Amino acid sequence: MNRASYFLILVALLIGAVIGYAVGASSGATSTVTRTVTSAPESAGLSGDVYIGALLPLTGPLGSFAENDMIALRLAEKDVNDWLTQIGSKWRIKILIEDTAVDPKQALDKLQALHSKGVKIFIGPMASSEVKEVKGYADANKLLVISQSSTSPALAIPNDMIYRFCPPDEFQGMASAKATYELGIRNVVIVWRGDTWGDGLVESYEKAFLKLIEQSGEKGEVWGKSNGKGIRYDPDSKEFSAIASQLANAVQELVNKYGVDKVGVYYAGYGEYIQFAAAASQYDILRRVKWIGSDGTALLGDIQTNENAAKFAYETRFISLMFGTPSPLQEKISSEVKRQLGRLPESYAYVSYDAVWIVAVALEFVDSYDPVAVAKVIPFIVQKWYGATGVFQLNENGDRAFSDYMFWMVVPSDKGYEWELAGSYSYEKNSVTWTEAFVKLLGKS
């Protein structure tokens, strides 16, 4: 039997018999992604422990995301090793987790430290600023990096050693812009985290929103990156009173011109939203307009557990979006996260789970701890894959080609506050559908 035939049987058995979900389901044609890199010499077949590095920001503003992803990774590690036992393989996955703290330099230091121990395949880092920092070293040393959450368009580069199993922010920008427009907002003040991720996201959002305004023939203003009227803050900021005052003045000026229902705030940041909300809540005008967030805040556990931040999010009808396609396998992962942490995981936890499986199947196929060989076969595996994030395709840059999105809101509950689904965005239709709960919440405004 040749390797191609073996591979198809391998994936079919994996998904059908071990995980219990279908292979090859697809909503459209798939495209083949090739990598023009030179494969390393073949080595002996796999045996013993095969190490995968996981670079997670366990401390810092994405800490709750990292906690979710760590649970998903450990669950995938167990499931993969059970499967390897069942098929009689001589090797096992072992995941080594390191904390990056959303610090680009620390991310590179941790990757280099793991590489010095022989690790050549990595899941994470999560932040685009971290991926940007490790990219040069990974490419030069032929290390495979699969980020579950880096979305900056600036990192959409073909034929490198970076895969991103999430869609780039041009799609998030479109989804957020459409939601903003559907909320009746025509004038926006943008405030964002000044790093690789934040800069790229707000450019995508601003471009998409201005296009909607132009197509509608209506008047609207965006105080953003392109005209210098937006508010860009240092990612290391811990105190936001001055920025909140600046934002309040900007919002008040637009409200005076257009009315409170036509003005909104687009916020692109991470867990520092908690400190930002504490400062912003001191201004009545900032509580009166609607806020739109991003994947940096969607389902962030730190927000729902901080009463002041959660209350401000509820008062401002703050919605944050996260890419995602429903899959039956998500229940297994979300149940484990809820059991351990008492909250829903973000979509990146599902991506982390899928990434471990895809790497494992690739390793079993190439039968060598060769990151270049693994990188070359991943696009073929993805074409046949149906996992926790459903069916997806990779584009020529090794990024998820497109996705739908889900909007999440913070609402009061008997336990304090919790995230609840507010709506969804269809990429195919370029349309937003709100849940009855969110429509009802808007009626209270």
Side-chain angles (χ1 to χ4, degrees):
M1 182 184 298
N2 62 37
R3 296 294 287 177
S5 299
Y6 169 75
F7 169 73
L8 291 173
I9 294 173
L10 175 67
V11 177
L13 288 173
L14 167 65
I15 306 296
V18 180
I19 300 182
Y21 292 96
V23 177
S26 177
S27 59
T30 58
S31 58
T32 301
V33 181
T34 59
R35 294 261 158 166
T36 56
V37 289
T38 303
S39 180
E42 289 191 16
S43 59
L46 294 172
S47 63
D49 289 334
V50 174
Y51 294 99
I52 307 297
L55 303 174
L56 301 178
L58 292 166
T59 56
L62 291 179
S64 62
F65 281 180
E67 291 171 349
N68 300 337
D69 289 26
M70 182 166 62
I71 292 172
L73 288 169
R74 291 303 185 201
L75 183 60
E77 180 182 50
K78 178 184 181 301
D79 289 348
V80 164
N81 286 336
D82 287 346
W83 168 66
L84 291 171
T85 299
Q86 290 179 24
I87 65 174
S89 290
K90 298 178 180 179
W91 62 280
R92 300 292 181 268
I93 284 281
K94 188 167 185 179
I95 298 176
L96 304 178
I97 297 175
E98 292 288 348
D99 178 23
T100 67
V102 201
D103 181 332
K105 184 180 182 304
Q106 184 165 319
L108 178 58
D109 289 344
K110 293 300 179 70
L111 181 139
Q112 290 174 331
L114 287 173
H115 182 216
S116 71
K117 298 176 182 178
V119 180
K120 299 178 182 179
I121 298 175
F122 298 83
I123 295 172
M126 295 188 72
S128 291
S129 58
E130 296 174 318
V131 174
K132 180 181 178 182
E133 185 73 14
V134 306
K135 174 178 163 50
Y137 184 86
D139 287 345
N141 291 277
K142 294 292 186 282
L143 306 180
L144 175 59
V145 172
I146 300 175
S147 177
Q148 67 272 55
S149 54
S150 167
T151 55
S152 171
L155 295 171
I157 301 169
N159 300 321
D160 59 5
M161 291 298 291
I162 310 294
Y163 277 106
R164 301 192 297 172
F165 284 2
C166 53
D169 277 333
E170 62 184 283
F171 301 105
Q172 181 177 176
M174 291 166 54
S176 297
K178 186 67 174 178
T180 304
Y181 187 86
E182 292 299 322
L183 287 171
I185 297 168
R186 299 295 181 266
N187 309 278
V188 182
V189 181
I190 301 177
V191 56
W192 73 98
R193 179 184 177 91
D195 60 11
T196 303
W197 168 76
D199 290 340
L201 176 56
V202 299
E203 286 177 4
S204 297
Y205 171 82
E206 186 174 350
K207 179 181 178 181
F209 187 72
L210 287 173
K211 183 178 180 180
L212 287 173
I213 294 296
E214 181 181 359
Q215 290 174 339
S216 71
E218 299 178 82
K219 293 183 179 180
E221 290 189 45
V222 175
W223 289 26
K225 187 171 183 287
S226 64
N227 59 16
K229 290 186 174 183
I231 302 172
R232 182 181 191 266
Y233 64 83
D234 187 333
D236 294 326
S237 297
K238 306 297 182 186
E239 204 278 327
F240 293 94
S241 58
I243 293 175
S245 175
Q246 183 183 353
L247 178 62
N249 290 336
V251 169
Q252 186 67 66
E253 184 172 337
L254 288 177
V255 168
N256 291 343
K257 291 173 66 175
Y258 302 108
V260 70
D261 291 337
K262 296 292 184 180
V263 178
V265 174
Y266 179 71
Y267 175 81
Y270 293 158
E272 67 273 10
Y273 171 83
I274 293 171
Q275 290 76 36
F276 196 100
S281 64
Q282 303 305 308
Y283 296 89
D284 179 67
I285 190 62
L286 296 182
R287 293 196 304 271
R288 293 172 57 204
V289 296
K290 298 181 184 68
W291 286 52
I292 298 91
S294 70
D295 61 338
T297 46
L299 293 168
L300 198 64
D302 292 340
I303 293 177
Q304 76 180 76
T305 57
N306 184 288
E307 185 175 357
N308 291 332
K311 181 181 178 182
F312 184 73
Y314 176 70
E315 289 176 342
T316 57
R317 303 334 184 215
F318 182 55
I319 54 169
S320 295
L321 78 169
M322 180 72 69
F323 90 91
T325 302
S327 163
L329 191 56
Q330 291 177 3
E331 177 60 29
K332 176 179 183 178
I333 301 164
S334 64
S335 294
E336 185 61 21
V337 172
K338 280 192 276 187
R339 185 185 71 81
Q340 293 193 38
L341 300 176
R343 62 179 182 238
L344 287 170
E346 87 293 353
S347 295
Y348 302 135
Y350 304 136
V351 179
S352 297
Y353 183 90
D354 278 352
V356 176
W357 269 108
I358 290 170
V359 167
V361 174
L363 284 166
E364 178 67 15
F365 176 62
V366 303
D367 197 25
S368 171
Y369 191 56
D370 179 350
V372 174
V374 170
K376 289 174 70 175
V377 78
I378 278 178
F380 186 50
I381 295 173
V382 167
Q383 287 182 23
K384 308 295 180 182
W385 194 258
Y386 185 87
T389 55
V391 175
F392 71 99
Q393 301 173 29
L394 295 173
N395 62 21
E396 66 276 9
N397 301 313
D399 300 337
R400 198 180 194 100
F402 55 84
S403 180
D404 294 337
Y405 285 82
M406 294 177 284
F407 295 95
W408 297 90
M409 60 180 175
V410 177
V411 297
S413 72
D414 55 359
K415 297 180 181 179
Y417 288 89
E418 65 183 10
W419 287 98
E420 184 176 314
L421 188 65
S424 60
Y425 169 80
S426 167
Y427 168 76
E428 183 179 3
K429 298 177 181 178
N430 188 28
S431 64
V432 172
T433 302
W434 301 119
T435 62
E436 291 184 11
F438 185 60
V439 172
K440 184 178 180 180
L441 181 62
L442 290 175
K444 296 180 181 180
S445 298

Short mmCIF file of all heavy atoms in Angstrom, two decimals, residues 186-235:
data_model
loop_
_atom_site.label_atom_id
_atom_site.label_comp_id
_atom_site.label_asym_id
_atom_site.label_seq_id
_atom_site.Cartn_x
_atom_site.Cartn_y
_atom_site.Cartn_z
N ARG A 186 -23.61 55.06 12.81
CA ARG A 186 -23.03 55.58 11.57
C ARG A 186 -21.75 56.39 11.84
O ARG A 186 -21.06 56.81 10.90
CB ARG A 186 -24.04 56.48 10.84
CG ARG A 186 -25.32 55.76 10.42
CD ARG A 186 -25.04 54.70 9.38
NE ARG A 186 -26.24 54.01 8.94
CZ ARG A 186 -26.70 52.88 9.45
NH1 ARG A 186 -26.04 52.29 10.45
NH2 ARG A 186 -27.81 52.32 9.00
N ASN A 187 -21.45 56.59 13.11
CA ASN A 187 -20.28 57.38 13.50
C ASN A 187 -19.57 56.66 14.65
O ASN A 187 -20.19 56.34 15.66
CB ASN A 187 -20.71 58.78 13.94
CG ASN A 187 -21.62 59.45 12.91
OD1 ASN A 187 -21.15 60.02 11.94
ND2 ASN A 187 -22.93 59.34 13.13
N VAL A 188 -18.28 56.40 14.45
CA VAL A 188 -17.56 55.54 15.38
C VAL A 188 -16.25 56.18 15.83
O VAL A 188 -15.51 56.75 15.01
CB VAL A 188 -17.23 54.18 14.72
CG1 VAL A 188 -16.52 53.27 15.71
CG2 VAL A 188 -18.48 53.51 14.19
N VAL A 189 -15.97 56.07 17.10
CA VAL A 189 -14.64 56.38 17.62
C VAL A 189 -13.94 55.05 17.91
O VAL A 189 -14.48 54.20 18.62
CB VAL A 189 -14.70 57.22 18.91
CG1 VAL A 189 -13.27 57.53 19.39
CG2 VAL A 189 -15.46 58.52 18.68
N ILE A 190 -12.76 54.88 17.33
CA ILE A 190 -12.02 53.63 17.51
C ILE A 190 -10.93 53.83 18.56
O ILE A 190 -10.17 54.79 18.52
CB ILE A 190 -11.36 53.18 16.18
CG1 ILE A 190 -12.43 52.97 15.10
CG2 ILE A 190 -10.55 51.90 16.38
CD1 ILE A 190 -11.86 52.61 13.75
N VAL A 191 -10.86 52.90 19.50
CA VAL A 191 -9.80 52.89 20.50
C VAL A 191 -9.20 51.50 20.51
O VAL A 191 -9.92 50.50 20.49
CB VAL A 191 -10.34 53.30 21.90
CG1 VAL A 191 -11.48 52.41 22.33
CG2 VAL A 191 -9.24 53.30 22.94
N TRP A 192 -7.86 51.44 20.48
CA TRP A 192 -7.27 50.11 20.29
C TRP A 192 -5.89 49.97 20.91
O TRP A 192 -5.17 50.94 21.16
CB TRP A 192 -7.19 49.79 18.80
CG TRP A 192 -6.14 50.51 18.00
CD1 TRP A 192 -4.90 50.05 17.65
CD2 TRP A 192 -6.23 51.82 17.42
NE1 TRP A 192 -4.23 50.96 16.89
CE2 TRP A 192 -5.01 52.06 16.73
CE3 TRP A 192 -7.23 52.81 17.42
CZ2 TRP A 192 -4.77 53.25 16.04
CZ3 TRP A 192 -6.98 54.00 16.74
CH2 TRP A 192 -5.76 54.20 16.07
N ARG A 193 -5.57 48.70 21.14
CA ARG A 193 -4.26 48.28 21.64
C ARG A 193 -3.24 48.45 20.52
O ARG A 193 -3.38 47.89 19.43
CB ARG A 193 -4.38 46.80 22.05
CG ARG A 193 -3.13 46.16 22.57
CD ARG A 193 -3.40 44.67 22.83
NE ARG A 193 -2.18 43.99 23.26
CZ ARG A 193 -1.81 43.84 24.52
NH1 ARG A 193 -2.58 44.32 25.48
NH2 ARG A 193 -0.69 43.22 24.83
N GLY A 194 -2.19 49.22 20.79
CA GLY A 194 -1.23 49.57 19.74
C GLY A 194 -0.15 48.53 19.52
O GLY A 194 1.01 48.75 19.89
N ASP A 195 -0.53 47.41 18.93
CA ASP A 195 0.46 46.39 18.58
C ASP A 195 0.12 45.82 17.21
O ASP A 195 -0.78 46.34 16.51
CB ASP A 195 0.53 45.29 19.64
CG ASP A 195 -0.79 44.56 19.86
OD1 ASP A 195 -1.72 44.74 19.05
OD2 ASP A 195 -0.88 43.80 20.84
N THR A 196 0.84 44.79 16.77
CA THR A 196 0.64 44.22 15.45
C THR A 196 -0.81 43.82 15.23
O THR A 196 -1.39 44.09 14.17
CB THR A 196 1.55 42.99 15.25
OG1 THR A 196 2.91 43.37 15.46
CG2 THR A 196 1.39 42.40 13.86
N TRP A 197 -1.39 43.17 16.22
CA TRP A 197 -2.78 42.73 16.11
C TRP A 197 -3.74 43.90 16.05
O TRP A 197 -4.58 43.99 15.14
CB TRP A 197 -3.13 41.82 17.29
CG TRP A 197 -4.59 41.55 17.41
CD1 TRP A 197 -5.34 40.69 16.65
CD2 TRP A 197 -5.50 42.16 18.34
NE1 TRP A 197 -6.65 40.71 17.07
CE2 TRP A 197 -6.78 41.60 18.10
CE3 TRP A 197 -5.36 43.10 19.36
CZ2 TRP A 197 -7.92 41.97 18.84
CZ3 TRP A 197 -6.48 43.46 20.10
CH2 TRP A 197 -7.73 42.90 19.83
N GLY A 198 -3.63 44.82 17.01
CA GLY A 198 -4.57 45.94 17.08
C GLY A 198 -4.52 46.83 15.86
O GLY A 198 -5.56 47.22 15.31
N ASP A 199 -3.31 47.15 15.40
CA ASP A 199 -3.17 48.01 14.23
C ASP A 199 -3.81 47.39 12.99
O ASP A 199 -4.53 48.06 12.23
CB ASP A 199 -1.69 48.29 13.94
CG ASP A 199 -1.05 49.18 14.99
OD1 ASP A 199 -1.78 49.90 15.71
OD2 ASP A 199 0.19 49.17 15.10
N GLY A 200 -3.56 46.10 12.78
CA GLY A 200 -4.13 45.43 11.61
C GLY A 200 -5.64 45.31 11.68
O GLY A 200 -6.33 45.48 10.67
N LEU A 201 -6.16 45.00 12.87
CA LEU A 201 -7.60 44.81 13.02
C LEU A 201 -8.36 46.11 12.77
O LEU A 201 -9.37 46.11 12.05
CB LEU A 201 -7.92 44.27 14.42
CG LEU A 201 -9.40 44.13 14.76
CD1 LEU A 201 -10.12 43.26 13.74
CD2 LEU A 201 -9.57 43.56 16.17
N VAL A 202 -7.90 47.21 13.36
CA VAL A 202 -8.66 48.45 13.19
C VAL A 202 -8.58 48.96 11.75
O VAL A 202 -9.53 49.58 11.25
CB VAL A 202 -8.19 49.55 14.18
CG1 VAL A 202 -8.41 49.10 15.61
CG2 VAL A 202 -6.75 49.95 13.97
N GLU A 203 -7.48 48.68 11.06
CA GLU A 203 -7.42 49.03 9.63
C GLU A 203 -8.48 48.27 8.85
O GLU A 203 -9.17 48.84 8.00
CB GLU A 203 -6.03 48.72 9.08
CG GLU A 203 -4.95 49.70 9.51
CD GLU A 203 -3.58 49.30 8.99
OE1 GLU A 203 -3.49 48.31 8.23
OE2 GLU A 203 -2.60 49.97 9.35
N SER A 204 -8.63 46.97 9.14
CA SER A 204 -9.63 46.16 8.45
C SER A 204 -11.04 46.63 8.79
O SER A 204 -11.91 46.73 7.91
CB SER A 204 -9.46 44.68 8.84
OG SER A 204 -8.21 44.19 8.43
N TYR A 205 -11.28 46.91 10.06
CA TYR A 205 -12.61 47.37 10.50
C TYR A 205 -12.96 48.71 9.86
O TYR A 205 -14.06 48.89 9.32
CB TYR A 205 -12.63 47.48 12.02
CG TYR A 205 -13.89 48.15 12.55
CD1 TYR A 205 -15.07 47.44 12.71
CD2 TYR A 205 -13.88 49.51 12.87
CE1 TYR A 205 -16.22 48.06 13.18
CE2 TYR A 205 -15.03 50.14 13.34
CZ TYR A 205 -16.19 49.42 13.49
OH TYR A 205 -17.33 50.04 13.95
N GLU A 206 -12.03 49.64 9.94
CA GLU A 206 -12.28 50.99 9.41
C GLU A 206 -12.57 50.94 7.91
O GLU A 206 -13.52 51.58 7.43
CB GLU A 206 -11.06 51.88 9.69
CG GLU A 206 -11.26 53.33 9.31
CD GLU A 206 -10.10 54.20 9.74
OE1 GLU A 206 -9.23 53.72 10.50
OE2 GLU A 206 -10.06 55.37 9.32
N LYS A 207 -11.78 50.18 7.19
CA LYS A 207 -11.99 50.05 5.74
C LYS A 207 -13.36 49.47 5.43
O LYS A 207 -14.08 49.96 4.55
CB LYS A 207 -10.89 49.17 5.14
CG LYS A 207 -11.01 48.96 3.65
CD LYS A 207 -9.88 48.06 3.15
CE LYS A 207 -10.02 47.78 1.65
NZ LYS A 207 -8.92 46.88 1.17
N ALA A 208 -13.74 48.42 6.16
CA ALA A 208 -15.02 47.76 5.91
C ALA A 208 -16.20 48.66 6.27
O ALA A 208 -17.21 48.71 5.55
CB ALA A 208 -15.09 46.45 6.69
N PHE A 209 -16.09 49.39 7.39
CA PHE A 209 -17.20 50.24 7.81
C PHE A 209 -17.39 51.42 6.87
O PHE A 209 -18.52 51.76 6.49
CB PHE A 209 -16.99 50.72 9.25
CG PHE A 209 -18.17 51.47 9.80
CD1 PHE A 209 -19.33 50.80 10.13
CD2 PHE A 209 -18.13 52.85 9.97
CE1 PHE A 209 -20.43 51.48 10.64
CE2 PHE A 209 -19.22 53.54 10.46
CZ PHE A 209 -20.38 52.85 10.80
N LEU A 210 -16.30 52.03 6.46
CA LEU A 210 -16.40 53.16 5.53
C LEU A 210 -16.98 52.72 4.19
O LEU A 210 -17.72 53.48 3.55
CB LEU A 210 -15.02 53.80 5.33
CG LEU A 210 -14.50 54.62 6.52
CD1 LEU A 210 -13.06 55.06 6.27
CD2 LEU A 210 -15.39 55.84 6.77
N LYS A 211 -16.68 51.49 3.79
CA LYS A 211 -17.25 50.96 2.55
C LYS A 211 -18.76 50.81 2.66
O LYS A 211 -19.51 51.14 1.73
CB LYS A 211 -16.60 49.62 2.21
CG LYS A 211 -17.08 49.02 0.90
CD LYS A 211 -16.37 47.71 0.60
CE LYS A 211 -16.83 47.11 -0.72
NZ LYS A 211 -16.14 45.82 -1.01
N LEU A 212 -19.22 50.33 3.82
CA LEU A 212 -20.66 50.21 4.04
C LEU A 212 -21.35 51.57 4.01
O LEU A 212 -22.44 51.72 3.43
CB LEU A 212 -20.93 49.54 5.39
CG LEU A 212 -20.66 48.04 5.48
CD1 LEU A 212 -20.81 47.57 6.92
CD2 LEU A 212 -21.60 47.25 4.57
N ILE A 213 -20.74 52.55 4.63
CA ILE A 213 -21.31 53.91 4.63
C ILE A 213 -21.38 54.46 3.21
O ILE A 213 -22.39 55.03 2.79
CB ILE A 213 -20.48 54.85 5.53
CG1 ILE A 213 -20.58 54.42 7.00
CG2 ILE A 213 -20.93 56.30 5.37
CD1 ILE A 213 -21.96 54.52 7.59
N GLU A 214 -20.31 54.26 2.45
CA GLU A 214 -20.26 54.75 1.08
C GLU A 214 -21.33 54.07 0.22
O GLU A 214 -22.02 54.74 -0.56
CB GLU A 214 -18.88 54.49 0.48
CG GLU A 214 -18.72 55.00 -0.95
CD GLU A 214 -17.35 54.70 -1.52
OE1 GLU A 214 -16.52 54.12 -0.81
OE2 GLU A 214 -17.12 55.03 -2.70
N GLN A 215 -21.48 52.77 0.37
CA GLN A 215 -22.46 52.03 -0.42
C GLN A 215 -23.89 52.44 -0.08
O GLN A 215 -24.78 52.41 -0.94
CB GLN A 215 -22.28 50.53 -0.21
CG GLN A 215 -21.01 49.96 -0.83
CD GLN A 215 -20.79 48.49 -0.47
OE1 GLN A 215 -21.33 47.99 0.51
NE2 GLN A 215 -19.98 47.80 -1.27
N SER A 216 -24.11 52.82 1.16
CA SER A 216 -25.46 53.19 1.59
C SER A 216 -25.86 54.59 1.14
O SER A 216 -27.05 54.92 1.10
CB SER A 216 -25.56 53.11 3.12
OG SER A 216 -24.82 54.16 3.73
N GLY A 217 -24.86 55.42 0.84
CA GLY A 217 -25.13 56.79 0.47
C GLY A 217 -25.40 57.69 1.66
O GLY A 217 -25.75 58.86 1.51
N GLU A 218 -25.23 57.14 2.86
CA GLU A 218 -25.46 57.91 4.07
C GLU A 218 -24.19 58.64 4.50
O GLU A 218 -23.10 58.37 4.01
CB GLU A 218 -25.91 56.99 5.20
CG GLU A 218 -27.21 56.25 4.92
CD GLU A 218 -27.58 55.30 6.06
OE1 GLU A 218 -28.15 55.79 7.04
OE2 GLU A 218 -27.29 54.11 5.95
N LYS A 219 -24.36 59.55 5.43
CA LYS A 219 -23.22 60.26 6.00
C LYS A 219 -22.76 59.55 7.26
O LYS A 219 -23.56 59.02 8.02
CB LYS A 219 -23.59 61.70 6.31
CG LYS A 219 -23.86 62.56 5.07
CD LYS A 219 -24.15 64.00 5.47
CE LYS A 219 -24.40 64.86 4.23
NZ LYS A 219 -24.67 66.28 4.60
N GLY A 220 -21.45 59.55 7.47
CA GLY A 220 -20.91 58.94 8.67
C GLY A 220 -19.46 59.33 8.87
O GLY A 220 -18.78 59.72 7.91
N GLU A 221 -19.01 59.25 10.09
CA GLU A 221 -17.62 59.57 10.42
C GLU A 221 -16.97 58.42 11.17
O GLU A 221 -17.62 57.77 12.00
CB GLU A 221 -17.53 60.83 11.30
CG GLU A 221 -17.88 62.13 10.61
CD GLU A 221 -17.57 63.33 11.49
OE1 GLU A 221 -16.47 63.35 12.09
OE2 GLU A 221 -18.43 64.23 11.59
N VAL A 222 -15.70 58.19 10.88
CA VAL A 222 -14.91 57.25 11.65
C VAL A 222 -13.69 57.98 12.18
O VAL A 222 -12.87 58.47 11.40
CB VAL A 222 -14.47 56.03 10.81
CG1 VAL A 222 -13.55 55.14 11.63
CG2 VAL A 222 -15.68 55.24 10.32
N TRP A 223 -13.60 58.07 13.48
CA TRP A 223 -12.40 58.62 14.10
C TRP A 223 -11.49 57.43 14.39
O TRP A 223 -11.66 56.73 15.39
CB TRP A 223 -12.77 59.37 15.39
CG TRP A 223 -13.49 60.66 15.13
CD1 TRP A 223 -14.25 60.98 14.05
CD2 TRP A 223 -13.53 61.81 15.98
NE1 TRP A 223 -14.78 62.24 14.16
CE2 TRP A 223 -14.34 62.78 15.34
CE3 TRP A 223 -12.97 62.11 17.21
CZ2 TRP A 223 -14.60 64.02 15.90
CZ3 TRP A 223 -13.23 63.35 17.78
CH2 TRP A 223 -14.03 64.30 17.13
N GLY A 224 -10.55 57.21 13.47
CA GLY A 224 -9.76 55.99 13.55
C GLY A 224 -8.29 56.18 13.27
O GLY A 224 -7.71 57.25 13.52
N LYS A 225 -7.70 55.15 12.68
CA LYS A 225 -6.26 55.12 12.45
C LYS A 225 -5.87 55.97 11.24
O LYS A 225 -4.86 56.67 11.27
CB LYS A 225 -5.80 53.67 12.25
CG LYS A 225 -4.30 53.46 12.16
CD LYS A 225 -3.97 51.97 12.18
CE LYS A 225 -2.46 51.73 12.18
NZ LYS A 225 -1.86 52.02 10.87
N SER A 226 -6.68 55.90 10.19
CA SER A 226 -6.29 56.56 8.94
C SER A 226 -6.29 58.07 9.04
O SER A 226 -5.47 58.74 8.40
CB SER A 226 -7.21 56.11 7.80
OG SER A 226 -8.55 56.51 8.04
N ASN A 227 -7.19 58.64 9.82
CA ASN A 227 -7.23 60.11 9.93
C ASN A 227 -6.59 60.63 11.21
O ASN A 227 -6.60 61.84 11.48
CB ASN A 227 -8.67 60.63 9.82
CG ASN A 227 -9.61 60.06 10.89
OD1 ASN A 227 -9.16 59.52 11.90
ND2 ASN A 227 -10.90 60.21 10.66
N GLY A 228 -6.05 59.74 12.02
CA GLY A 228 -5.35 60.16 13.23
C GLY A 228 -6.25 60.61 14.37
O GLY A 228 -5.76 61.08 15.40
N LYS A 229 -7.56 60.45 14.22
CA LYS A 229 -8.49 60.88 15.26
C LYS A 229 -8.81 59.78 16.26
O LYS A 229 -9.43 60.03 17.30
CB LYS A 229 -9.78 61.38 14.62
CG LYS A 229 -9.64 62.71 13.87
CD LYS A 229 -11.00 63.20 13.42
CE LYS A 229 -10.92 64.58 12.80
NZ LYS A 229 -12.27 65.09 12.41
N GLY A 230 -8.45 58.54 15.93
CA GLY A 230 -8.69 57.44 16.85
C GLY A 230 -7.71 57.47 18.02
O GLY A 230 -6.79 58.30 18.06
N ILE A 231 -7.90 56.55 18.96
CA ILE A 231 -7.09 56.55 20.17
C ILE A 231 -6.32 55.23 20.25
O ILE A 231 -6.91 54.17 20.46
CB ILE A 231 -7.97 56.73 21.42
CG1 ILE A 231 -8.76 58.04 21.31
CG2 ILE A 231 -7.12 56.71 22.68
CD1 ILE A 231 -9.82 58.22 22.39
N ARG A 232 -5.03 55.30 20.07
CA ARG A 232 -4.14 54.12 20.12
C ARG A 232 -3.37 54.17 21.44
O ARG A 232 -2.71 55.15 21.75
CB ARG A 232 -3.18 54.17 18.94
CG ARG A 232 -2.21 52.98 18.82
CD ARG A 232 -1.30 53.20 17.62
NE ARG A 232 -0.53 52.00 17.28
CZ ARG A 232 0.70 51.74 17.70
NH1 ARG A 232 1.30 52.61 18.53
NH2 ARG A 232 1.33 50.65 17.33
N TYR A 233 -3.46 53.09 22.23
CA TYR A 233 -2.78 53.09 23.52
C TYR A 233 -1.68 52.04 23.59
O TYR A 233 -1.66 51.06 22.85
CB TYR A 233 -3.79 52.90 24.67
CG TYR A 233 -4.53 51.58 24.69
CD1 TYR A 233 -3.97 50.43 25.25
CD2 TYR A 233 -5.83 51.50 24.19
CE1 TYR A 233 -4.65 49.24 25.29
CE2 TYR A 233 -6.53 50.29 24.24
CZ TYR A 233 -5.93 49.17 24.78
OH TYR A 233 -6.61 47.98 24.82
N ASP A 234 -0.75 52.28 24.48
CA ASP A 234 0.39 51.39 24.70
C ASP A 234 -0.11 50.06 25.28
O ASP A 234 -0.85 50.05 26.27
CB ASP A 234 1.35 52.06 25.68
CG ASP A 234 2.66 51.30 25.85
OD1 ASP A 234 2.67 50.06 25.66
OD2 ASP A 234 3.67 51.93 26.20
N PRO A 235 0.29 48.92 24.69
CA PRO A 235 -0.15 47.63 25.21
C PRO A 235 0.24 47.38 26.67
O PRO A 235 -0.38 46.58 27.35
CB PRO A 235 0.55 46.62 24.30
CG PRO A 235 0.82 47.37 23.04
CD PRO A 235 1.08 48.77 23.46
#
